[in-house]
Amino acid sequence: MPTRLPLVVRRCHTCASSRARADGKFRVNAHHKRIDAWLLVLCTVCGETAKLMVLERAPVRSVRPGLLNRLHANDTALTAEWLQDPAFGRRNHIALDWADAWCLDTNGSDHIDREVIDVSVRFAARIPVRPARLIARGCGLPRAEVGRLITAVRLVSAVRLGGTLCGDFTFTLQR
């Protein structure tokens, strides 16, 4: 599950840094019957503000009142929703850096002593993680050992454990 908002991977025009942080601030501007809204992000090095387009020249009547209220209230949950939206990322040419922005909740460690473990992994947010790294951290194993278990077919899953994914999956570990 996420512990904080991810960093935005975007080049700063002032200092050429590649990371910015979103603190949940929006800017809303209305032009007669049209409305624009931006998510503000701050460079992690120099603090320069950049704008990420949320709404562009949208008719005011087409914007739900609840969304408009959340924009005006600088809702942090709305910031998280927009940042995790793949279309928003493509439109603004950004990527997310989730390093140190998530934690693993294992619901206790009673499973470590068992010979065979069936585990269901659920993501609280769309956080791209390498399953082998997640399994290593959750089961208290070195990543090299997880790689050996995959090769020996003692760690199996319906999803490919060698890549990156951000959706729920299950696996079975046989010690």
Side-chain angles (χ1 to χ4, degrees):
M1 51 181 148
T3 56
R4 63 169 171 80
L5 291 173
L7 294 177
V8 175
V9 179
R10 181 175 197 255
R11 188 171 114 7
C12 176
H13 296 292
T14 305
C15 70
S17 169
S18 63
R19 300 288 187 270
R21 70 181 179 346
D23 57 357
K25 303 271 191 232
F26 290 93
R27 175 155 188 247
V28 181
N29 193 12
H31 306 281
H32 302 289
K33 294 181 181 180
R34 303 282 178 183
I35 191 167
D36 294 324
W38 299 274
L39 172 62
L40 303 178
V41 294
L42 303 170
C43 176
T44 56
V45 175
C46 69
E48 182 72 20
T49 302
K51 299 185 291 188
L52 303 177
M53 182 61 65
V54 174
L55 298 172
E56 183 176 25
R57 296 287 192 193
V60 174
R61 291 182 184 264
S62 71
V63 180
R64 295 183 325 269
L67 174 61
L68 198 54
N69 290 339
R70 290 176 74 187
L71 287 169
H72 285 299
N74 292 321
D75 187 0
T76 308
L78 182 61
T79 301
E81 290 174 26
W82 279 110
L83 285 176
Q84 293 177 24
D85 182 10
F88 177 77
R90 282 191 304 274
R91 183 173 55 241
N92 286 288
H93 308 289
I94 62 166
L96 299 178
D97 179 6
W98 282 98
D100 301 323
W102 60 274
C103 69
L104 179 65
D105 181 12
T106 60
N107 290 334
S109 60
D110 61 337
H111 63 279
I112 293 177
D113 299 337
R114 295 185 188 158
E115 188 65 30
V116 177
I117 315 169
D118 287 321
V119 179
S120 176
V121 178
R122 291 180 331 183
F123 286 79
R126 294 180 43 89
I127 303 172
V129 178
R130 293 184 179 279
R133 183 178 187 194
L134 193 73
I135 292 167
R137 189 180 288 183
C139 295
L141 299 169
R143 284 196 302 197
E145 177 65 19
V146 171
R148 284 191 287 276
L149 290 170
I150 292 171
T151 305
V153 194
R154 294 178 61 203
L155 176 60
V156 294
S157 177
V159 300
R160 191 171 149 258
L161 297 174
T164 301
L165 58 93
C166 56
D168 299 346
F169 69 98
T170 60
F171 68 89
T172 302
L173 173 64
Q174 196 175 33
R175 295 187 188 249

